[in-house]
Each structure stands twice: as C-alpha cells, then as structure tokens.
Amino acid sequence: MAMASRFAFFLVCLSILSSTTRSELVISRIDRRVDLTSHIVRILSSIKVENVGNEVVSEVLLAFPNTQAKNLAAIKTLYNEGKGKAKSSSVSLPIRVAQPEGMPPELTFYSISLPKGLEKGGAAAFDVLTVFTHSLQPFPEEITQADVQLVLFQDSAYYLSPYAVKVQTLGIRLPGGRLESYTKYPNAKLVDSELRYGPFADVPAFSYTPIIVHFENNYPFAVAHDLVREIEISHWGNVQITEHYTLAHGGARTKGGFSRFDYQARPSARGLSSFSHLIFRLPPRAHSIYYRDEIGNISTSHLWGDSRKTQLEIEPRFPIFGGWKTTFTIGYGLPLQDFVFKVDGKRMLNITFGSPMDEVVIDNLIVKVVLPEGSNAITASVPLPVKQGEEIKYSHLDIVGRPVLVLQKNDVVPEDNLYFQVYYQFNNFSLLREPMMLISGFFLLFVACIAYMHIDMSISKSSASYLAKIQSEEVQATVQQVQNIINQCLAVHDKLEASLRDLSRTGDVQSCKTARRTADAQLKELVKELKPLVSFLHHSPQAFHIWPKVDELIAKEKEMQEKMFVKHSTVVDYFEKKLSGREIENRIAAQQQKLAALRQEIDDLLEFLDEI
Ligand SMILES: *[C@@H]1O[C@H](CO)[C@@H](O)[C@H](O)[C@H]1NC(C)=O
Ligand SMILES: *[C@@H]1O[C@H](CO)[C@@H](O)[C@H](O)[C@H]1NC(C)=O
C-alpha cells in the first residue's frame, strides 16, 4: 500500500528529529479516546504536561501529520482550573497554527497558550478535542445496494508529539458490527466494541507507529458540498432563515444501479448506509417551516417540538446512496425578539452559525446575514476563523438595498455550530420608510391614474380616429331612426289596407274615409321627422356610402304612399258605384301588383341598411 511507504518515510524523518530536538516539556500522561461511531472522527486527548527544564514555558505544541491536518475541521481546548477531582471551571485556551523552527514540512503544528507560565517542575492539565472530516476511507470504494459499508481509519498507536511521553493510552470506539481487521502491534486488545492500545511507557518524542482499523460503519455520511444559509432580519418581527443544500452521501459509491423494487421488497437491500430521512433541530418557536427540492414541495415531513427545540424530519424522494447527490431548500421563520437584542444603543443578532442538520459535514458554508435597509456600522463577532465580505441585496421597495454580511468557512462540523453576533446600528425612522413608501406609492399611483384617464380623454376626443368613431356611431343611430320611421309608415299602409277590407265587410264608407285622413296625417308627420335625419346623413362624411340607399328607401316609400292613396280612392269610388268585390279586384289588379313590388323593394332596402 502507498500508505505504508508514506508512514515509513515519516518514521525516518521523525527518528532524526527526536535526536536533534531538545525540549523543556514532557508529557507526563496522555489518554486519547477516538470516536469512530459516526463519519466524523473525534479525538479527545487528556494531556498533562510537566516542565523539566529551567526556563518558564507558556506554550505547548501539538503536532499533526499534514495528511491528517488537512482534514482537521475543528480543534478546541479545555483547561481545568483547580486541582485534582475538584475541577472548579473549564476555560478554553487560545490556540493558533505555529511554525516552530527546524521542524519537517510534513508536520503541522498548533500552539496552545497556557494561562500562566510553567515554572521548573510545574505541571498543567488540559483536554484537546480534535474533529476530522473525510478521514474514514471507504474500502472497498464501491459496494452494491445490499452491502454493508466498510471503512479504514489510520492513526499512530503512539501519540505524535515533539515531547517525550511518559505514560499513554489509546482507545478507539467503534460503532459495533463487523471488524474486518486491525493492527495488533503494539499491544492491542479488543474489549466489546473498543480497541485499546497501551498503556505505553517512556516513548521518545516524535514516535510514530501506524495502525489501521478496517471496520463496518453504516452511518449516513452526510456531506453538504455547499450550504448557503441566509438569515434575513425584518424589524417587523421576523428572522427568516433559508438554507440551500447540495447534499451528497460521502461514503462508498454504489455500483450496479439502484433497484427501487429491491429497496422496497428486501430489507437486506435497503442499503444500510443510505439515508432515507434527514433530521433538523430547529430553534424553539420556529414557524412557517417548508422543505422544497428541485421538483417542488415535499409533503413527507414530520415536525414536532417542545419549548426547547423544534425537530423537523424530512424524507427525500429517493433514499441517498453512496456517491449520490441531492439539492434542496429548507426555510423557517423565527421570532425576532429571540434573536435580535438592543445592546448599548446598537442592535445585536445572536444566532448559531452552522447547519441545524444532524452530524453533517459542510465543505463550503456561506452564511449571509441580510440586515434591514438603512443599517450601518456593521460588525461581526464570530468565534471561528471565517472569511468576511459584504454585499447588497435588493428586494421590492428597496432604494439603497439591504446590507448583507457574508461569512464563509470551509470544513464545518457540528462543533462549529456556535453562536455568533452581528452588531449594527439602525434608525427606527428607517423602519417607517417602507410603509411611507407604500402609502406615497399608492398615492402617486392614484394621481397617475387620474392624470392618465384625463389625458386619455383629452387626447382621444381630438384625435381623428376618435372623431371618426363617434361619427360612424351617429350615422348608424340615424339610419336606425330612418328605418324605424319607414317601418311606422308601412304600419300605416297596413292600416289603410285593413280599412279597405273592413269596407267590403261592413259597407261603412264614412269610417273608411276617416281612416284615410288619419293615415294621411300620420304619414305627413312621419315624413317631417325624416327631414333632419336625411339632411344629417347628407352632410356626414361617414354616411357617403349609405345615404343614396336611404334616399332610395324614402323615395320608394313615397311612391308607395301615392299608389296606396290612389288605390284607396279607386276602391272607395268603385264601392260607391256598387261594383261587385270581384270586379273591383280585377280593376285594381295592376295597381296591386305595383304595390307588392314596391313593398318588396322597401323590405330589401331595410334589410340592406340593417347590415351596416
Ligand atoms: C411550498 O410551501 C410553501 C410553504 O408552505 C408555500 O409558501 C409554497 O407556495 C409552496 N410551493 C409549492 C410549489 O407548492
Ligand atoms: C447568545 O445566545 C446564547 C444562547 O441563548 C447565549 O448563551 C449567549 O450568551 C448569547 N451571546 C451573547 C453575546 O449575548
């Protein structure tokens, strides 16, 4: 294995180092406990150092091979003040990357500052928690849906340190399940699901002896390649959180394709290491919670909570197997008063930094704090090494935009889910700006509407097309009136006809003559009404194609009136001369024909005008 040669190289350079370095400090005891039960490797080391030199020492160095250091996501120290069992309180000690002289480039050093210098013979005890990501290597790298996931973990049985170590132990806690193999030298034993190495006595500085553990670990290797958390503050009472995840299963890749049938039918093919649900621990009083993937909202989510937390469990559409990826968004609102406070005339947001998701490793985390428009003097206090930047976000109604504080960190682990603070100044008057804008906006809109309607009319009234439209409407109305009058004339004609029929039935000449006079008067009235209409049509440019027909209609009606009266006189005349009904009919047959033809022509003209 390539790994082995790398370790060999280590051993060579480390043995050279041990003979050349000289230190004031020795580690009188170190107990390391490695937790391999999830996919995040945590090592808690309880260290006791002793000053055996003559100088006062206040810095303690920790050494890591570069291959391990590159996966070091978090390092924390706990210093126990007080002696022995009565540990009164714990404080964390300042820690920084160090580059001590004369050390090989294969090692990365961290330096811890002790609260007070150690005199000759003095001792100090503290704990160091180191958290590593991507440190369990799936082996085999590809498995099928039905296989368990096996991984490799490597470290050194001896604690790698620039100091000699008097007494040391190492314990490795495994998740249980299969243990394929483990390095048995030096002095290893397995107790339940814990591997124990040591105790070892008097190991020189820079000792390194590689161990490899090959074991079953079906923990869902949830890795967010990218997570963008947006925390948007609204002084109207809400802190809105939106989290965009690109989540992958960082374990052994799945080969041979996925069978949903197998997945559902055979529990053994469930993919022990796959994850079918994700758990988020949201703050208490979280509300308006949603979960959405590329396709849309997911309904299969469960939510429960108490006064201390809200727990959201979501089920992706597909179980996530090794090497698979999914993207989704969760969002929720939080009460403003739980997270934003007034401190010394400033506002302070105090909220957690990382993801609320269980045991997730975040390769690239971006936290954007969107402050209300008009905020200024923005400062952040983050208990983690982060890159800071600023942006502007625009949403509706914004004029200058909202200031956005952007924090970025790689390799984020649950230990980084610490509270951070953003301080900013905000004038309450700014709060009223948006409603004022809304109100004045509506007012302006209102004014604009009035102005628009006003302008619309004044423009259109004088516009040629508007005039044309009005005129053609007037022409149509006039033609309609003409038609009405002609129809009334026709009705009068019908009454005259009826009076002739009555005459033949009753022989009452007098009432027939009266009917004629009435008809004459009615027709004269109607013709008078026609005059202004016809003259309007003659003067209207829109009626140039209509008025000849109207004139024709009126002329025909006039002709029909004349013929009607002639017929009427003739019939009455013959009746008084006592001619028989048949004889009268014969004599007026030609007139009757002419009248029917005229009636037909009038009906045709009326129909034609109807269609305009
Ligand atoms: C998803 O749910 C949220 C909150 O319940 C809702 O506002 C949104 O309209 C929903 N979207 C779709 C696509 O259903
Ligand atoms: C932030 O909130 C946490 C939890 O409520 C609290 O422990 C911490 O003291 C707060 N930090 C500041 C600076 O107020």
Side-chain angles (χ1 to χ4, degrees):
M1 248 186 241
M3 224 177 290
S5 61
R6 210 159 65 213
F7 288 132
F9 169 72
F10 249 131
L11 295 179
V12 173
C13 52
L14 296 186
S15 58
I16 298 165
L17 272 174
S18 61
S19 59
T20 53
T21 49
R22 191 162 299 281
S23 176
E24 309 282 321
L25 289 177
V26 294
I27 294 177
S28 48
R29 182 171 185 110
I30 175 166
D31 296 296
R32 285 183 294 152
R33 287 193 299 282
V34 181
D35 185 346
L36 300 184
T37 54
S38 91
H39 67 130
I40 299 173
V41 174
R42 295 183 172 85
I43 305 178
L44 182 66
S45 309
S46 303
I47 304 173
K48 208 165 157 196
V49 290
E50 213 179 294
N51 189 353
V52 293
N54 294 315
E55 319 254 304
V56 174
V57 179
S58 57
E59 300 266 303
V60 181
L61 290 175
L62 305 177
F64 301 92
N66 288 348
T67 49
Q68 210 178 20
K70 78 174 178 4
N71 294 326
L72 179 60
I75 181 163
K76 289 167 188 283
T77 57
L78 266 187
Y79 176 75
N80 304 312
E81 286 178 325
K83 286 261 153 73
K85 293 237 156 63
K87 290 173 182 171
S88 53
S89 67
S90 301
V91 291
S92 70
L93 301 173
I95 187 161
R96 60 184 170 83
V97 176
Q99 275 152 340
E101 275 176 31
M103 297 294 174
E106 287 80 12
L107 295 181
T108 302
F109 287 88
Y110 282 82
S111 170
I112 297 174
S113 306
L114 296 174
K116 52 181 188 289
L118 285 184
E119 307 276 332
K120 178 182 161 76
F126 53 90
D127 293 341
V128 177
L129 173 69
T130 45
V131 182
F132 298 93
T133 58
H134 305 289
S135 295
L136 297 180
Q137 187 194 343
F139 190 81
E141 290 179 352
E142 288 195 339
I143 56 175
T144 68
Q145 191 177 333
D147 290 337
V148 298
Q149 176 171 265
L150 295 169
V151 297
L152 295 172
F153 171 73
Q154 358 162 348
D155 201 343
S156 168
Y158 298 146
Y159 178 58
L160 176 63
S161 169
Y163 314 114
V165 183
K166 283 187 181 165
V167 179
Q168 62 177 303
T169 63
L170 169 66
I172 301 176
R173 198 153 83 85
L174 301 172
R178 236 156 86 192
L179 177 56
E180 284 286 294
S181 67
Y182 62 95
T183 308
K184 296 188 175 63
Y185 174 85
N187 191 13
K189 61 175 181 285
L190 180 67
V191 181
D192 296 326
S193 53
E194 183 170 315
L195 265 180
R196 292 184 189 161
Y197 287 87
F200 306 112
D202 296 321
V203 177
F206 293 109
S207 293
Y208 192 98
T209 173
I211 52 166
I212 296 184
V213 189
H214 191 195
F215 64 103
E216 177 180 340
N217 184 332
N218 292 313
Y219 202 89
F221 280 33
V223 179
H225 290 324
D226 288 292
L227 167 58
V228 180
R229 297 186 77 212
E230 190 178 273
I231 301 168
E232 179 154 7
I233 298 173
S234 158
H235 281 164
W236 295 99
N238 193 40
V239 176
Q240 181 63 36
I241 317 270
T242 313
E243 302 179 343
H244 306 279
Y245 287 84
T246 305
L247 190 77
H249 188 307
R253 285 192 305 276
T254 306
K255 65 175 175 193
F258 167 69
S259 155
R260 186 172 270 280
F261 176 78
D262 278 355
Y263 182 82
Q264 274 161 352
R266 299 189 4 238
S268 64
R270 280 284 157 88
L272 284 167
S273 63
S274 72
F275 36 94
S276 53
H277 48 245
L278 309 167
I279 300 204
F280 297 84
R281 289 172 211 284
L282 309 179
R285 310 217 281 144
H287 60 85
S288 323
I289 299 165
Y290 68 89
Y291 164 51
R292 200 171 59 218
D293 67 7
E294 308 102 285
I295 310 174
N297 277 2
I298 304 275
S299 50
T300 39
S301 58
H302 311 282
L303 191 67
W304 64 94
D306 53 30
S307 58
R308 284 173 298 113
K309 63 172 190 304
T310 309
Q311 191 160 317
L312 170 70
E313 182 182 336
I314 57 182
E315 234 176 275
R317 283 170 211 273
F318 280 96
I320 312 293
F321 281 89
W324 290 18
K325 209 168 80 172
T326 178
T327 62
F328 61 89
T329 300
I330 67 167
Y332 47 97
L334 299 171
L336 183 76
Q337 70 270 25
D338 292 4
F339 297 91
V340 177
F341 309 91
K342 276 190 188 162
V343 177
D344 304 330
K346 286 192 140 202
R347 313 276 172 139
M348 177 192 74
L349 168 76
N350 181 25
I351 201 164
T352 49
F353 183 72
S355 165
M357 190 177 157
D358 263 5
E359 278 294 271
V360 65
V361 167
I362 308 161
D363 289 344
N364 177 28
L365 171 65
I366 295 173
V367 176
K368 295 186 176 189
V369 180
V370 184
L371 298 168
E373 194 176 25
S375 304
N376 55 49
I378 301 156
T379 53
S381 158
V382 189
L384 295 162
V386 292
K387 281 194 204 121
Q388 278 194 33
E390 282 202 24
E391 279 178 6
I392 303 282
K393 179 180 174 175
Y394 294 94
S395 44
H396 4 273
L397 300 182
D398 288 348
I399 294 178
V400 292
R402 296 167 195 228
V404 182
L405 181 72
V406 183
L407 306 171
Q408 190 274 338
K409 188 182 185 303
N410 294 114
D411 291 324
V412 179
V413 287
E415 277 74 8
D416 294 328
N417 212 352
L418 303 172
Y419 280 89
F420 74 104
Q421 293 82 35
V422 177
Y423 298 89
Y424 60 99
Q425 229 137 31
F426 183 79
N427 187 338
N428 265 332
F429 181 73
S430 305
L431 194 57
L432 289 176
R433 205 185 49 75
E434 279 187 5
M436 287 311 289
M437 267 175 63
L438 271 181
I439 292 166
S440 45
F442 279 121
F443 178 72
L444 283 178
L445 183 69
F446 181 67
V447 169
C449 281
I450 292 174
Y452 174 75
M453 286 168 70
H454 202 71
I455 288 164
D456 180 50
M457 290 198 179
S458 51
I459 289 175
S460 300
K461 262 191 175 164
S462 60
S463 79
S465 66
Y466 185 81
L467 269 179
K469 186 168 177 287
I470 291 290
Q471 284 177 356
S472 84
E473 275 170 14
E474 279 178 306
V475 166
Q476 272 181 25
T478 310
V479 170
Q480 188 100 51
Q481 279 173 280
V482 171
Q483 287 173 294
N484 283 343
I485 293 171
I486 298 296
N487 278 319
Q488 287 175 50
C489 294
L490 294 178
V492 175
H493 297 181
D494 290 343
K495 270 190 208 155
L496 269 178
E497 284 282 2
S499 73
L500 289 180
R501 279 196 302 277
D502 287 346
L503 179 65
S504 66
R505 215 167 16 97
T506 62
D508 186 350
V509 177
Q510 218 42 54
S511 63
C512 189
K513 282 184 175 163
T514 313
R516 183 199 162 110
R517 278 197 298 277
T518 314
D520 193 34
Q522 279 177 341
L523 288 172
K524 282 207 171 86
E525 269 318 297
L526 289 170
V527 168
K528 240 189 252 168
E529 279 179 41
L530 272 177
K531 272 211 178 102
L533 301 178
V534 171
S535 115
F536 170 79
L537 289 177
H538 283 187
H539 292 101
S540 169
Q542 302 288 320
F544 71 95
H545 62 299
I546 297 171
W547 64 255
K549 291 280 178 195
V550 173
D551 280 3
E552 193 185 341
L553 174 67
I554 291 170
K556 295 278 176 203
E557 201 279 328
K558 198 174 170 212
E559 196 185 341
M560 193 177 166
Q561 269 184 40
E562 284 161 3
K563 294 231 154 29
M564 195 65 210
F565 282 122
V566 171
K567 177 190 159 188
H568 199 271
S569 312
T570 315
V571 171
V572 172
D573 192 28
Y574 287 149
F575 187 83
E576 281 171 336
K577 289 174 179 162
K578 313 259 189 256
L579 267 74
S580 76
R582 178 169 294 250
E583 222 163 326
I584 294 173
E585 263 177 44
N586 282 343
R587 290 194 183 189
I588 63 163
Q591 278 173 302
Q592 194 64 31
Q593 231 170 10
K594 184 72 190 161
L595 275 169
L598 277 171
R599 178 70 187 238
Q600 185 59 49
E601 280 177 89
I602 290 170
D603 282 345
D604 287 350
L605 283 166
L606 283 173
E607 206 171 307
F608 170 83
L609 291 174
D610 261 345
E611 280 158 18
I612 289 167

